[in-house]
Amino acid sequence: METIIENELVRELANKHGRTRESLIPILQDLVVQYRFLSKKDMVDVARELDISAADVFGTATFYTFLDTEVRGKYIIRICKTISCAMKGKNEILSTIEDILKIKLGETSSDRKFSLLEANCIGWCHKAPAMLINDTPYTELTPEKVTEILREYIKIQ
Amino acid sequence: MVSLSINGMLVKVPQGTTILDAAKKLNFRIPTLCQHDDLCVAGNCRVCVVEQLGGRSLLAACATPVSSGMQILTNSLKVRAARKHVIELLLSEHNADCTKCYKNGNCELQDLSNEFSVGDHLLLDLTETKEYTIDRFSPSIIKDDSKCIRCQRCVRTCEQLQGVNALTVAYKGEHQKISTFEELSMAEVICTNCGQCINRCPTGALVERTYLDEVWDAILDPEKHVVVQTAPAVRVGLGEELGFEPGERVTGKMVAALKRLGFDSVLDTDFSADLTIMEEGTELLTRLKRALVDKDPSVALPMTTSCSPGWIKFIEHTFPEYLPNVSTCKSPQQMFGALAKTYFAQVRKLDPKNIVSVSIMPCTAKKYEANRPEMRSSGYKDVDYVLTTRELAKMIKQAGVEFRKLKEDKYDSIMGKSTGAGVIFGATGGVMEAALRTAYEIITGREVPFEGLNITPVRGMEGVRLASIKIEECKEEWSFLNGVELKCAVAHGLVNARELMNRVKSGDLIVHFIEVMACPGGCLGGGGQPIPTNEKIRKKRTEAIYAEDMSMELRKSHENPEVIGIYKEFLGEPLSHKSHELLHTHYTERVRY
């Protein structure tokens, strides 16, 4: 028989959220909280736990921007790319971050500390430009302000 | 009943009828792409939009139920403009290199483009900006994303008819695509190669992998003796591709056509279907004896059939713990292949290395089956190339054979003779019925107690069917079966097979013998059969299969003189050492998720 290495976290999350089809998204969200992205193995393990096809899990995961299926850094920076932020200088903020972290949009730093992504509107249009670092919003950004914020994150070991 | 008007004509239809079906009643055809009679409503392609007088926006006719007093226009200026626009949008992302496409001439998108004459004002061609991939790794199915219009018929087929879910809708918006898990090749995932997705794809995004060129090469090579076998269901489907109505039996014409194409021996899979019954029937009785008389706890019951390669791949992935329950008999195609290069070669005094063995199947999973590494028991690849019913039709057209005018011809011998029991392998329940006709007679010495040998309880279109047959007054050697009620279950379509196996697994259903065919309706609804295939067409083909059975001189496998002959001259008896070597196989556990 196929040897299955137990995935304790997936089992725990299935116990917590249930094993019906509706439990899929909460389980995937919690996995992302834990690992920042959904690995191939975790997706297969969720499929097994819920007895649905792995393709089904993959289809759901790839539909949602915040359910990443690629390796991401510990800190995921998401710059709002929508119109208000774009008009208030989002491009300048983006290039400042690229310069400081030495990664381009869509990339993850080699130490897997930072990933730099764009996001659709995050609801801070009145304080544009805005970005998220993991779940924390930062608003009314300027190149100086973003440099200061990143410096703090870089310090964290 | 609801009354409404369509294009100014009044119609009354039952509540819940869609605008699409109501229009059909008045002989108005509304174009569709994502809609398919076998599948649930999707309403995503929007090509079926119609105008409702006084309505704000256009309605999707396939997804909108009628309401009283509705005034529908199916061909207004607004509708025509919208439809044309939908088609243009689809084409802007579609590799429309139609002349080079495998589906050229049999493509619903091409037909619509033709109908709406979109030619001269196309939108921007976006295909260059897309990173489309073509998956050619499967021996059965080619998946070409550049032809995909994301109608999701394939996804719904894989889920609703087959319960496999190998395909999903991945990503979103402009990046949306039909994908397997992690965009792996179809060859690497839980796909059963059944080809039901191919049968429903409106474009060339999913097609069978063709071996036409290889077969022509073999035919035109004077060194080679090309043997062809034809599956039961091909003779009731092929006509549809060549100008006949569904349900027309074209057996004799097909044989004549195959001879004209240049095949050296035109033989019949129905012969090896009869042989399968001898082996599988004996295997079932042996298992029952070991369970009931020897009280051997290691006997795996219920025993399931093994003719359908889609079912085999499905159970290998999904219920591997039940692999010991699967009959070890090879499918008729593979039994035939193993014998073509041994028995047939011997009798016809041919060098097996010069034999090319071709099979015509209603099936795409057969292509995969022929390529399994274990299918080489003759010392060569037992079946070299598998063609679908559709590919055979194409060969006939390519060779300029005027099919309709052909006189009926007869199969060659040996391995060309068959009985009605072999024919009904093509319909769901057929293998069960054929096995019962023979097994009952072996045990009791009498014919099955059904009028005209027609075991109607195992026939029909119900997803899972149960039947039982009481065994009484057995012959002496089978007396242990006296009074036993042989319980049988039949499932077709893998979604039903899964349900059946779950019931067996839970202990809720106790049976002795299970027949599963991967495709709805059995092989006659196979993934390699003519497009379109739907419930109505499957029923027509089913009637044809049973009519063919009734027309046969012999209707029980064990009475097939060539089957009797092969046991006498070559195999010995069912389950003999030689049978085991050539006609039986083993299975491989595969990942479930």
Side-chain angles (χ1 to χ4, degrees):
Chain A
M1 295 300 274
E2 183 191 354
T3 24
I4 296 161
I5 299 156
E6 286 290 321
N7 187 329
E8 273 176 40
L9 180 60
V10 169
R11 169 134 317 163
E12 225 172 82
L13 292 174
N15 287 340
K16 177 176 154 198
H17 295 292
R19 284 175 171 76
T20 55
R21 184 65 176 68
E22 306 86 87
S23 322
L24 177 59
I25 289 177
I27 292 174
L28 295 181
Q29 282 174 317
D30 278 2
L31 281 167
V32 168
V33 167
Q34 190 69 26
Y35 301 123
R36 300 274 152 244
F37 83 109
L38 296 165
S39 69
K40 191 173 162 178
K41 185 180 181 310
D42 281 341
M43 283 191 273
V44 170
D45 288 336
V46 170
R48 182 179 297 109
E49 205 57 51
L50 267 51
D51 195 21
I52 57 179
S53 92
D56 214 354
V57 178
F58 180 71
T60 306
T62 54
F63 183 84
Y64 293 99
T65 311
F66 280 59
L67 296 178
D68 268 311
T69 50
E70 276 168 57
V71 177
R72 298 292 185 216
K74 188 173 173 195
Y75 300 108
I76 303 177
I77 305 167
R78 298 176 200 267
I79 307 241
C80 178
K81 68 171 181 184
T82 336
I83 188 81
S84 309
C85 289
M87 289 175 72
K88 291 278 243 166
K90 156 242 164 191
N91 280 346
E92 212 185 342
I93 305 300
L94 183 60
S95 56
T96 308
I97 302 175
E98 286 179 337
D99 284 348
I100 295 172
L101 297 179
K102 305 280 183 283
I103 52 174
K104 293 224 175 304
L105 187 65
E107 292 180 348
T108 296
S109 60
S110 55
D111 60 358
R112 286 210 194 167
K113 189 159 179 181
F114 293 101
S115 291
L116 180 55
L117 306 172
E118 277 182 335
N120 285 315
C121 185
I122 56 173
W124 288 93
C125 311
H126 56 300
K127 291 191 173 185
M131 68 176 182
L132 286 173
I133 298 184
N134 291 349
D135 291 336
T136 315
Y138 296 90
T139 58
E140 293 174 301
L141 297 172
T142 60
E144 294 74 25
K145 194 167 167 188
V146 87
T147 307
E148 201 52 46
I149 294 165
L150 286 183
R151 196 169 287 156
E152 289 307 309
Y153 276 94
I154 289 166
K155 271 191 216 157
I156 307 172
Q157 282 307 309
Chain B
M1 297 294 269
V2 178
S3 16
L4 67 154
S5 89
I6 298 177
N7 300 336
M9 296 169 76
L10 284 175
V11 66
K12 268 190 186 172
V13 289
Q15 195 148 20
T17 308
T18 60
I19 297 173
L20 183 71
D21 289 335
K24 250 181 228 165
K25 272 196 84 174
L26 292 171
N27 296 322
F28 288 114
R29 184 181 56 83
I30 297 172
T32 53
L33 281 173
C34 67
Q35 188 272 344
H36 192 286
D37 289 344
D38 282 342
L39 306 170
C40 78
V41 169
N44 62 37
C45 80
R46 314 311 288 179
V47 86
C48 69
V49 284
V50 293
E51 184 175 352
Q52 179 181 11
L53 278 184
R56 231 164 29 94
S57 52
L58 299 178
L59 304 170
C62 75
T64 314
V66 293
S67 55
S68 183
M70 252 183 175
Q71 291 174 291
I72 297 294
L73 298 175
T74 69
N75 193 35
S76 67
L77 279 180
K78 216 168 155 185
V79 166
R80 289 176 54 81
R83 273 191 202 148
K84 197 162 175 175
H85 210 72
V86 166
I87 297 165
E88 283 174 354
L89 280 167
L90 287 172
L91 288 174
S92 73
E93 297 187 336
H94 178 82
N95 170 5
D97 218 348
C98 295
T99 54
K100 294 172 191 163
C101 180
Y102 186 69
K103 287 286 284 291
N104 187 10
N106 188 6
C107 169
E108 294 176 44
L109 183 61
Q110 191 184 40
D111 290 348
L112 280 182
S113 312
N114 178 26
E115 246 172 62
F116 284 81
S117 306
V118 287
D120 46 355
H121 34 90
L122 276 181
L123 300 171
L124 269 182
D125 181 1
L126 296 177
T127 50
E128 294 293 314
T129 68
K130 303 270 179 180
E131 288 171 0
Y132 292 129
T133 50
I134 306 181
D135 172 10
R136 300 179 196 275
F137 286 105
S138 159
S140 296
I141 300 175
I142 294 175
K143 177 171 171 285
D144 180 351
D145 292 343
S146 75
K147 312 266 176 71
C148 177
I149 57 167
R150 294 172 293 286
C151 68
Q152 304 170 22
R153 274 192 197 167
C154 54
V155 177
R156 281 176 285 149
T157 299
C158 203
E159 179 190 346
Q160 292 161 18
L161 300 183
Q162 300 300 62
V164 171
N165 291 286
L167 292 172
T168 187
V169 184
Y171 307 102
K172 67 174 165 236
E174 58 177 323
H175 303 293
Q176 187 190 69
K177 66 189 289 187
I178 307 306
S179 171
T180 55
F181 176 61
E182 284 273 340
E183 303 186 48
L184 290 168
S185 148
M186 297 281 272
E188 295 173 279
V189 297
I190 53 172
C191 170
T192 65
N193 306 300
C194 73
Q196 288 297 317
C197 55
I198 298 177
N199 207 293
R200 283 171 189 72
C201 180
T203 69
L206 287 158
V207 296
E208 67 260 27
R209 175 147 166 204
T210 182
Y211 296 88
L212 276 187
D213 289 342
E214 288 85 340
V215 173
W216 280 124
D217 283 350
I219 287 177
L220 298 172
D221 182 342
E223 299 276 295
K224 302 290 183 199
H225 184 99
V226 188
V227 170
V228 66
Q229 54 166 315
T230 60
V234 178
R235 65 205 70 193
V236 299
L238 181 67
E240 291 165 39
E241 292 274 334
L242 298 162
F244 288 94
E245 286 300 306
E248 189 82 29
R249 290 145 56 197
V250 295
T251 319
K253 283 189 192 304
M254 174 180 70
V255 172
L258 288 165
K259 289 186 178 175
R260 284 176 185 231
L261 295 181
F263 286 103
D264 297 297
S265 293
V266 179
L267 306 175
D268 204 352
T269 315
D270 291 14
F271 158 78
S272 49
D274 281 334
L275 192 62
T276 303
I277 289 302
M278 299 307 292
E279 293 291 324
E280 199 163 305
T282 313
E283 185 185 359
L284 176 66
L285 292 176
T286 309
R287 288 196 194 205
L288 288 173
K289 181 165 185 288
R290 277 173 55 202
L292 296 171
V293 180
D294 309 339
K295 311 273 180 213
D296 179 351
S298 70
V299 181
L301 282 172
M303 187 178 94
T304 86
T305 56
S306 55
C307 310
S308 165
W311 157 240
I312 294 300
K313 183 108 187 304
F314 177 78
I315 194 171
E316 285 179 333
H317 282 292
T318 316
F319 296 99
E321 66 275 30
Y322 281 93
L323 285 178
N325 296 61
V326 181
S327 161
T328 59
C329 288
K330 284 182 185 170
S331 70
Q333 164 179 282
Q334 293 305 136
M335 286 199 183
F336 190 102
L339 292 171
K341 295 190 182 181
T342 53
Y343 172 65
F344 179 82
Q346 196 179 303
V347 174
R348 296 288 302 271
K349 300 192 172 49
L350 294 163
D351 185 343
K353 83 170 191 305
N354 288 330
I355 295 180
V356 176
S357 158
V358 177
S359 72
I360 314 292
M361 294 284 142
C363 182
T364 52
K366 289 279 173 200
K367 291 173 187 268
Y368 173 86
E369 183 185 43
N371 281 298
R372 279 179 178 253
E374 59 271 25
M375 296 301 175
R376 292 175 165 269
S377 36
S378 62
Y380 302 88
K381 193 175 174 202
D382 293 336
V383 174
D384 292 288
Y385 306 112
V386 179
L387 304 180
T388 59
T389 309
R390 297 188 292 266
E391 286 170 278
L392 173 59
K394 197 163 221 176
M395 274 187 97
I396 292 170
K397 287 178 194 163
Q398 285 178 352
V401 172
E402 292 199 56
F403 191 77
R404 287 187 71 97
K405 294 185 186 162
L406 290 178
K407 280 218 174 73
E408 304 203 341
D409 205 339
K410 285 204 156 57
Y411 283 102
D412 295 323
S413 183
I414 47 173
M415 292 170 62
K417 189 125 184 91
S418 66
T419 71
V423 172
I424 57 174
F425 266 57
T428 167
V431 177
M432 177 67 69
E433 180 166 346
L436 291 177
R437 284 183 194 173
T438 288
Y440 191 87
E441 204 163 313
I442 290 177
I443 302 166
T444 66
R446 302 184 307 277
E447 287 192 341
V448 278
F450 290 91
E451 203 190 325
L453 296 174
N454 297 326
I455 311 180
T456 44
V458 299
R459 298 185 183 181
M461 283 293 168
E462 193 99 5
V464 176
R465 303 188 294 283
L466 304 175
S468 67
I469 183 166
K470 185 98 181 225
I471 302 174
E472 283 164 323
E473 295 172 51
C474 298
K475 284 185 181 171
E476 180 134 355
E477 64 266 44
W478 299 103
S479 57
F480 66 93
L481 287 171
N482 254 330
V484 168
E485 200 181 345
L486 187 70
K487 291 183 175 166
C488 309
V490 175
H492 63 123
L494 290 172
V495 76
N496 298 313
R498 183 190 285 263
E499 184 206 314
L500 174 62
M501 289 311 290
N502 278 333
R503 285 176 65 186
V504 168
K505 202 172 167 175
S506 70
D508 162 47
L509 184 68
I510 293 167
V511 289
H512 300 104
F513 189 31
I514 293 174
E515 180 209 288
V516 178
M517 293 295 156
C519 291
C523 306
L524 57 87
Q529 288 285 63
I531 301 170
T533 294
N534 55 38
E535 179 97 34
K536 214 165 121 193
I537 293 174
R538 283 191 293 269
K539 281 187 175 149
K540 291 269 182 213
R541 293 181 194 151
T542 307
E543 286 166 17
I545 282 274
Y546 289 117
E548 185 91 351
D549 170 30
M550 290 302 281
S551 78
M552 302 292 281
E553 209 178 304
L554 300 171
R555 298 185 50 227
K556 293 175 284 191
S557 298
H558 57 278
E559 290 178 353
N560 182 335
E562 288 192 346
V563 168
I564 297 169
I566 196 174
Y567 279 114
K568 209 153 108 194
E569 294 159 28
F570 187 71
L571 291 170
E573 55 182 12
L575 305 187
S576 69
H577 182 70
K578 195 145 206 167
S579 288
H580 267 293
E581 221 168 69
L582 292 173
L583 309 182
H584 291 256
T585 186
H586 57 272
Y587 307 105
T588 312
E589 184 184 345
R590 298 171 199 275
V591 293
R592 177 159 177 170
Y593 299 98

